[in-house]
Amino acid sequence: MVNFWTPQLLIWVSSISFLIPASLGFDPVDNYLIDCGSFANRSVGDRVFVADNSSSYTLSTPQNIVARTSVNFSSSTSDSVLYQTARVFNGISHYTFPIKEHGRHWIRFHFFPSVYGSYNMSKAEFSVSAQNFMLIREPQFEGGSVVKEYCLNVTADELVVTFTPSANSFAFVNALEMFSLPDYLIPKEASVIGLQGDNRSLSGNALETVARVNMGNVTIPRQNDTLWRLWVSDDVYLLHTNLGTFVSRVSAVNITGRPEIENIAPLSVYGTATWLNTELDPRMNANLTWRVDVDPGFEYLVRLHFCDVVSTSTQQSLIFNVYINSQFASHLDLHSLTSNKLGVPYYMDVITRVSASSLLNVSVGPSTTGASDPHAILNGLEIMKINNHRLSLDVIDTISSRSSRMKIAVIVGLVVGLFIVLLIAMVVILLFRRRRKLSDLDSEQGAHCAMYRRGKFHTMDNEHYSGTPIFSSSNIGYRFPLVAIQEATDNFCESLIVGIGGFGKVYKGVLRDEIKVAVKRGVPQSGQGLKEFWTEIEMVTQFRHRHLVSLLGYCDEQEEMIIIYEYMENGTLKDHLYSSNLPSLSWRQRLEICIGAARGLHYLHTGSAKAIIHRDVKSANILLDEKFMAKVADFGLSKTGPDIDKTHVSTAVRGSFGYLDPEYLSTQQLTEKSDVYSFGVVLFEVLCGRPVIDPSLPRERVNLVEWAMKLQREGKIEEIIDPSLLGQIKLESLKKFVETAENCLAEHGIDRPSMGYVLWNLECALQLQGNGEKPGHNGETSSQVQHVDSSSTSLPTAEFSVASVGELAGISMSKVFAQMVKEETG
Ligand SMILES: *[C@@H]1O[C@H](CO)[C@@H](O)[C@H](O)[C@H]1NC(C)=O
Ligand SMILES: *[C@@H]1O[C@H](CO)[C@@H](O)[C@H](O)[C@H]1NC(C)=O
Ligand SMILES: *[C@@H]1O[C@H](CO)[C@@H](O)[C@H](O)[C@H]1NC(C)=O
Ligand SMILES: *[C@@H]1O[C@H](CO)[C@@H](O)[C@H](O)[C@H]1NC(C)=O
Ligand SMILES: *[C@@H]1O[C@H](CO)[C@@H](O)[C@H](O)[C@H]1NC(C)=O
Ligand SMILES: *[C@@H]1O[C@H](CO)[C@@H](O)[C@H](O)[C@H]1NC(C)=O
Ligand SMILES: *[C@@H]1O[C@H](CO)[C@@H](O)[C@H](O)[C@H]1NC(C)=O
Ligand SMILES: *[C@@H]1O[C@H](CO)[C@@H](O)[C@H](O)[C@H]1NC(C)=O
Ligand SMILES: *[C@@H]1O[C@H](CO)[C@@H](O)[C@H](O)[C@H]1NC(C)=O
Ligand SMILES: *[C@@H]1O[C@H](CO)[C@@H](O)[C@H](O)[C@H]1NC(C)=O
Ligand SMILES: *[C@@H]1O[C@H](CO)[C@@H](O)[C@H](O)[C@H]1NC(C)=O
């Protein structure tokens, strides 16, 4: 009577059967699984690792070397069947994978450092890179199998993975996985701990999985994860196991309507947890802490997974705090985050920087408000290392990370190399001198240097680094070999000097890969200099920000004190304000530069748990890149403050004459407000375009700050404004700017605004300036009156209406503008 198999039902049944595998596993668009060195396909669970001569990707290697181990893995656990064979590379080799879907991909490398025939894999020395990222650099294999997992955002139509063996060594790999990930797995940006509202973009970064932990003392094998992740039990990471209670209630997890959550983490991660044990003592006040070993000097993306599988009712509150390395990260009310439902998964991402310590602590603990029961829970934890600005994910000290055998080889190499360098240098210097005599005043900048550069240095390196492009910026660490710097600066060629300061000279240099650098070479003798050298390196490696000049490396070979910075095309702010022939900056440019510098300083003051005080803020330490974006430089005198100085009140007063905070001079108490004072001085420098101290002027005018403040009090600030700015500045903008500068220069630190407030006010000044101004300064006109006319034609009349003058009547400087208003309205 009823035909059960209606077409609808058939469609329904087939779509169910189609849905089931989709919801049980993720089906990547790009999916390469390779059992390296094998001639047979091997199944691991439900996945097939293909023999290493498949045609779906290309392998290019100088010699086709495959190796087998005598250990019989075929009866062991499923993963290890991949260790039966390995591929060996005795020269630079590439796997090239065609990519169908752009976006995040995982690359997993499986290594089993055992003996394979004549190859002892634990002796292998190599690096692995992909997409310009240095993923693995001279791994130190100890003991059993190693799986390394990297996440790249692939934006090209192919991905090339390159194995580069070290000289006289080889590279190997047992298996390779490369597959696309769901779009939502890795966030495009995440918040940085301690910097509310300051999200950091991740879309261009490579990530390395450092730890993937399941709480509740349960390990989840790859077969149970839709993305074949291994979740390691937390008992080895948990610091005080007696504080935690392990919970397992996988059936309590409710993912109704959110099937994709299974790709974020398996249900068994959300269904197991470590719970702050308050049964022993309900008033227990403690944190549950997990500790993971990490490499210092990197940022980490930390993902925490939560799911309340413990509470029986949402009437009970579950409010707790999350700390990362003792820094407060978040205050979570888990029930309200999950719309008051139990068993609903929730995860959060946060980025943290690990500076000095090689530990990363993650803690959950009772909320400090005390309003709720002292409970806390954590279900899962993932820690992913973010590549540094050298595009590396591995520890980078090229010399110290090598084995002692290599170390000796390198040292011998360098000694021989330096001897050759010296010989060549002598020959070249002789030649150079002779040529200079001949060419006399024919001194086109850098011409001699270039000759030197193309001369012998290259052949010298080739001897010692066997053709590896070692001096480019992407594949060496912070610690540069001296020869690399000599090459970049043509052995400190005088014509490449771009600045000279108390510490020594700054050279412009070019690395092998055409990256321009600024090389700051300290004068070796002074003991104080050495301390400042290391302070500077420490400060700059810790703090990275758009508006702080970034460090590329340093060199301490042969008592040199060299710091290598990114090159700033447009030099110092000072050079653009006076005493050079550079074109004058427009008012808008000046405001933008001040805002950039203020942002950099604000970050120093607030970007970490302890404020950093720059101590030497001046226009010569504000550098401009090719787009005139400002970056703060020179951290040699920086200090964490203010509590350090409470114990070291006798610290010698340091800083630059003319910029020094008078309160700091008299009390020697260092606070962020000393930087604010110096920044106020810079603001007047920017407005007036003259040196802070100009002894050539009449006595009362020598000190810019004194003179400007006096004129300001007398309402005659116009007398001191940089003539090239007159007519460009809108009244309100000037008012705001001068007021800000004045506040910064308050006698007592306590009366000075914070850098954040200064920043806000400068942004206001920029807003008030509006967009009416023509870009850049026009050099055609020279008289002040003409200036006023030419620019006021482009301004709305309202800007100078009588009403606005009335509002400003109390402001001393309004008289200046009364004149301009007359011009305008008359
Ligand atoms: C391995 O599997 C791939 C695809 O799954 C197939 O094309 C290939 O022929 C298989 N190779 C061997 C040796 O079985
Ligand atoms: C890979 O090697 C095996 C064994 O030598 C051979 O049977 C197979 O055809 C090869 N596959 C390809 C794609 O070359
Ligand atoms: C490895 O062990 C399995 C089972 O123990 C056995 O069947 C197989 O022949 C062994 N293979 C080799 C190469 O010894
Ligand atoms: C392989 O190399 C490691 C490290 O150099 C060494 O400890 C080990 O004894 C070697 N094994 C063999 C079988 O040579
Ligand atoms: C920062 O990123 C998070 C996602 O990690 C997002 O929810 C938030 O809205 C972002 N905040 C800002 C200010 O962009
Ligand atoms: C990958 O990079 C592209 C281009 O930079 C960007 O548009 C995209 O959002 C990135 N994807 C992810 C998942 O970060
Ligand atoms: C975690 O589980 C393992 C084995 O399952 C057990 O040996 C260990 O004692 C457990 N750890 C704790 C802290 O209970
Ligand atoms: C993994 O999956 C198997 C089969 O589905 C199951 O029996 C086992 O309990 C799971 N293990 C964990 C730790 O979830
Ligand atoms: C799971 O959540 C959905 C809605 O989010 C709800 O309708 C359902 O009753 C829940 N299931 C259980 C077993 O609590
Ligand atoms: C991590 O926690 C331990 C114990 O609480 C502490 O000794 C250590 O200093 C912490 N490390 C960091 C970097 O916070
Ligand atoms: C948990 O750790 C944070 C950061 O170290 C600390 O401020 C807080 O007092 C700790 N809470 C308890 C209850 O010990």
Side-chain angles (χ1 to χ4, degrees):
M1 187 188 70
V2 178
N3 182 1
F4 213 80
W5 293 102
T6 59
Q8 283 88 345
L9 192 63
L10 270 180
I11 288 168
W12 184 76
V13 166
S14 61
S15 63
I16 287 275
S17 59
F18 172 75
L19 275 175
I20 287 168
S23 66
L24 285 182
F26 173 70
D27 190 14
V29 176
D30 296 310
N31 192 15
Y32 298 96
L33 307 174
I34 307 167
D35 184 8
C36 301
S38 168
F39 290 121
N41 290 346
R42 258 181 246 270
S43 297
V44 177
D46 53 358
R47 301 202 293 170
V48 177
F49 280 71
V50 300
D52 194 7
N53 58 356
S54 155
S55 53
S56 58
Y57 58 88
T58 48
L59 165 62
S60 80
T61 179
Q63 222 182 326
N64 195 24
I65 309 174
V66 297
R68 283 186 76 81
T69 177
S70 50
V71 183
N72 185 349
F73 281 110
S74 55
S75 62
S76 311
T77 56
S78 48
D79 258 15
S80 61
V81 301
L82 298 172
Y83 305 143
Q84 197 72 54
T85 57
R87 182 167 277 284
V88 176
F89 308 104
N90 61 353
I92 298 176
S93 306
H94 314 276
Y95 276 99
T96 305
F97 301 104
I99 299 290
K100 293 197 214 88
E101 185 183 63
H102 291 183
R104 287 279 171 192
H105 287 66
W106 259 334
I107 310 177
R108 287 196 192 121
F109 299 94
H110 297 255
F111 299 105
F112 189 75
S114 173
V115 176
Y116 287 73
S118 57
Y119 292 95
N120 182 351
M121 299 305 184
S122 49
K123 286 187 156 50
E125 266 173 29
F126 59 96
S127 61
V128 183
S129 59
Q131 250 194 355
N132 300 325
F133 291 107
M134 176 61 66
L135 305 181
I136 305 177
R137 189 175 181 89
E138 293 174 8
Q140 305 278 307
F141 293 116
E142 284 152 15
S145 65
V146 177
V147 179
K148 286 183 161 276
E149 180 183 279
Y150 299 87
C151 184
L152 299 178
N153 179 3
V154 183
T155 51
D157 292 335
E158 61 177 32
L159 178 71
V160 182
V161 176
T162 304
F163 288 81
T164 310
S166 305
N168 304 319
S169 191
F170 58 92
F172 81 103
V173 62
N174 293 84
L176 246 176
E177 298 173 50
M178 205 287 292
F179 57 94
S180 35
L181 294 174
D183 210 25
Y184 47 80
L185 185 68
I186 303 293
K188 290 196 172 61
E189 57 174 27
S191 62
V192 181
I193 190 167
L195 289 179
Q196 285 80 12
D198 210 354
N199 269 5
R200 183 193 187 295
S201 165
L202 284 169
S203 45
N205 287 104
L207 305 170
E208 177 185 358
T209 307
V210 174
R212 181 173 284 132
V213 185
N214 180 39
M215 310 304 154
N217 197 20
V218 176
T219 293
I220 296 170
R222 295 186 187 279
Q223 292 75 10
N224 288 38
D225 182 307
T226 54
L227 299 174
W228 307 282
R229 288 165 291 206
L230 174 67
W231 298 77
V232 179
S233 158
D234 68 328
D235 66 332
V236 293
Y237 300 102
L238 187 58
L239 271 189
H240 305 287
T241 39
N242 56 321
L243 291 177
T245 304
F246 300 127
V247 183
S248 176
R249 276 185 65 207
V250 180
S251 60
V253 182
N254 184 351
I255 58 161
T256 309
R258 290 167 75 202
E260 79 285 353
I261 208 84
E262 273 202 88
N263 293 329
I264 299 290
L267 296 191
S268 36
V269 168
Y270 286 115
T272 52
T274 299
W275 169 255
L276 183 62
N277 190 351
T278 53
E279 270 145 38
L280 302 175
D281 175 2
R283 286 160 294 119
M284 168 107 73
N285 214 6
N287 288 325
L288 277 180
T289 300
W290 290 264
R291 183 192 275 182
V292 176
D293 288 334
V294 294
D295 291 325
F298 285 89
E299 285 178 307
Y300 291 86
L301 173 65
V302 179
R303 171 169 287 183
L304 299 117
H305 300 268
F306 302 99
C307 183
D308 185 0
V309 290
V310 179
S311 305
T312 47
S313 147
T314 53
Q315 301 301 100
Q316 294 163 269
S317 64
L318 182 47
I319 302 176
F320 53 94
N321 288 348
V322 177
Y323 306 91
I324 293 176
N325 271 349
S326 303
Q327 244 188 311
F328 173 80
S330 186
H331 176 78
L332 291 181
D333 178 349
L334 197 56
H335 292 161
S336 77
L337 286 167
T338 57
S339 332
N340 275 317
K341 290 204 183 71
L342 294 176
V344 174
Y346 175 81
Y347 65 93
M348 62 172 268
D349 293 319
V350 60
I351 293 174
T352 185
R353 160 163 277 276
V354 177
S355 302
S357 154
S358 56
L359 292 172
L360 199 157
N361 289 349
V362 174
S363 313
V364 293
S367 155
T368 42
T369 59
S372 51
D373 303 334
H375 289 310
I377 194 171
L378 187 61
N379 301 60
L381 173 67
E382 288 173 274
I383 296 178
M384 287 164 264
K385 191 199 264 182
I386 302 172
N387 70 273
N388 62 16
H389 65 290
R390 310 191 59 76
L391 303 183
S392 178
L393 274 162
D394 216 337
V395 194
I396 32 193
D397 193 332
T398 43
I399 291 169
S400 66
S401 71
R402 285 168 202 246
S403 68
S404 53
R405 184 172 54 84
M406 272 306 285
K407 231 184 238 171
I408 292 165
V410 166
I411 290 168
V412 169
L414 283 178
V415 168
V416 174
L418 281 168
F419 180 65
I420 295 173
V421 171
L422 283 177
L423 255 180
I424 293 164
M426 273 162 64
V427 170
V428 172
I429 286 167
L430 282 177
L431 270 175
F432 175 60
R433 288 229 168 117
R434 201 140 137 229
R435 221 172 240 239
R436 181 177 255 175
K437 269 183 208 149
L438 291 174
S439 62
D440 200 23
L441 285 170
D442 164 34
S443 60
E444 193 200 317
Q445 251 220 355
H448 298 301
C449 302
M451 174 201 73
Y452 186 87
R453 179 184 183 78
R454 281 185 224 106
K456 293 296 175 188
F457 266 90
H458 282 194
T459 50
M460 188 278 303
D461 323 326
N462 290 344
E463 276 169 33
H464 294 279
Y465 296 95
S466 58
T468 43
I470 194 157
F471 297 160
S472 64
S473 69
S474 61
N475 65 352
I476 50 174
Y478 279 123
R479 192 169 174 199
F480 278 53
L482 184 58
V483 281
I485 300 166
Q486 286 172 318
E487 179 190 299
T489 60
D490 305 325
N491 204 18
F492 305 107
C493 183
E494 295 283 312
S495 72
L496 293 174
I497 291 177
V498 290
I500 298 180
F503 51 83
K505 294 170 181 166
V506 181
Y507 299 81
K508 178 182 175 174
V510 184
L511 297 179
R512 275 280 171 89
D513 51 4
E514 302 298 319
I515 302 265
K516 286 184 196 160
V517 292
V519 173
K520 180 169 149 181
R521 188 187 196 194
V523 185
Q525 296 86 3
S526 78
Q528 185 65 37
L530 191 63
K531 187 162 157 266
E532 286 169 11
F533 172 72
W534 287 111
T535 307
E536 181 150 10
I537 290 169
E538 191 189 329
M539 291 291 169
V540 197
T541 45
Q542 263 182 68
F543 296 96
R544 295 210 341 107
H545 189 269
R546 257 160 70 81
H547 294 288
L548 300 179
V549 170
S550 45
L551 176 102
L552 299 179
Y554 67 92
C555 173
D556 59 348
E557 265 173 53
Q558 298 177 23
E559 308 196 337
E560 287 281 358
M561 294 187 297
I562 297 172
I563 304 187
I564 301 126
Y565 281 108
E566 61 178 319
Y567 184 69
M568 299 290 284
E569 201 71 48
N570 277 310
T572 70
L573 169 61
K574 184 180 174 183
D575 287 344
H576 289 267
L577 293 176
Y578 48 85
S579 64
S580 77
N581 298 326
L582 297 167
S584 166
L585 298 168
S586 72
W587 180 238
R588 169 169 284 276
Q589 277 177 314
R590 292 184 200 208
L591 281 175
E592 279 167 354
I593 289 164
C594 292
I595 288 170
R599 264 188 223 286
L601 290 172
H602 175 57
Y603 175 79
L604 276 184
H605 290 176
T606 60
S608 66
K610 201 168 273 175
I612 300 297
I613 302 168
H614 185 285
R615 294 221 293 172
D616 201 10
V617 176
K618 55 181 177 180
S619 58
N621 281 341
I622 296 171
L623 304 184
L624 304 174
D625 73 3
E626 70 283 358
K627 292 179 186 136
F628 286 93
M629 188 170 92
K631 298 194 184 205
V632 178
D634 211 336
F635 304 91
L637 300 180
S638 303
K639 263 187 179 295
T640 51
D643 49 2
I644 281 185
D645 257 35
K646 285 198 185 116
T647 54
H648 296 277
V649 178
S650 61
T651 310
V653 169
R654 307 297 302 273
S656 292
F657 190 50
Y659 294 89
L660 265 180
D661 169 11
E663 191 178 54
Y664 168 51
L665 264 177
S666 57
T667 64
Q668 305 198 3
Q669 288 281 333
L670 191 65
T671 71
E672 300 97 291
K673 295 298 176 68
S674 299
D675 282 352
V676 174
Y677 181 90
S678 310
F679 191 70
V681 179
V682 172
L683 293 182
F684 270 127
E685 239 181 313
V686 164
L687 180 68
C688 308
R690 56 153 277 192
V692 176
I693 305 288
D694 188 346
S696 68
L697 291 172
R699 207 173 165 278
E700 57 170 5
R701 301 187 181 189
V702 167
N703 184 317
L704 167 66
V705 170
E706 278 173 20
W707 181 234
M709 294 292 258
K710 179 170 181 287
L711 290 178
Q712 165 71 356
R713 278 191 297 273
E714 292 169 3
K716 295 192 290 196
I717 193 80
E718 84 278 8
E719 286 181 16
I720 202 172
I721 294 179
D722 186 343
S724 66
L725 284 177
L726 285 176
Q728 281 187 47
I729 313 179
K730 285 196 191 172
L731 181 53
E732 288 88 342
S733 178
L734 177 67
K735 178 199 154 197
K736 195 83 200 166
F737 187 87
V738 173
E739 182 188 295
T740 310
E742 225 184 334
N743 290 341
C744 291
L745 295 169
E747 198 181 328
H748 299 292
I750 195 154
D751 300 326
R752 295 175 204 148
S754 70
M755 218 52 228
Y757 193 72
V758 173
L759 173 59
W760 188 81
N761 273 292
L762 290 172
E763 278 174 341
C764 252
L766 183 64
Q767 292 268 306
L768 290 168
Q769 179 68 14
N771 293 316
E773 182 199 310
K774 288 163 286 172
H777 165 60
N778 48 346
E780 329 102 56
T781 50
S782 52
S783 100
Q784 188 179 324
V785 176
Q786 263 178 308
H787 257 76
V788 172
D789 282 343
S790 64
S791 69
S792 56
T793 50
S794 67
L795 298 173
T797 323
E799 297 282 354
F800 290 96
S801 71
V802 179
S804 65
V805 174
E807 272 165 35
L808 295 165
I811 317 295
S812 48
M813 71 198 181
S814 59
K815 282 180 204 155
V816 195
F817 292 91
Q819 185 62 34
M820 294 165 76
V821 173
K822 261 184 226 149
E823 306 257 5
E824 152 83 6
T825 51

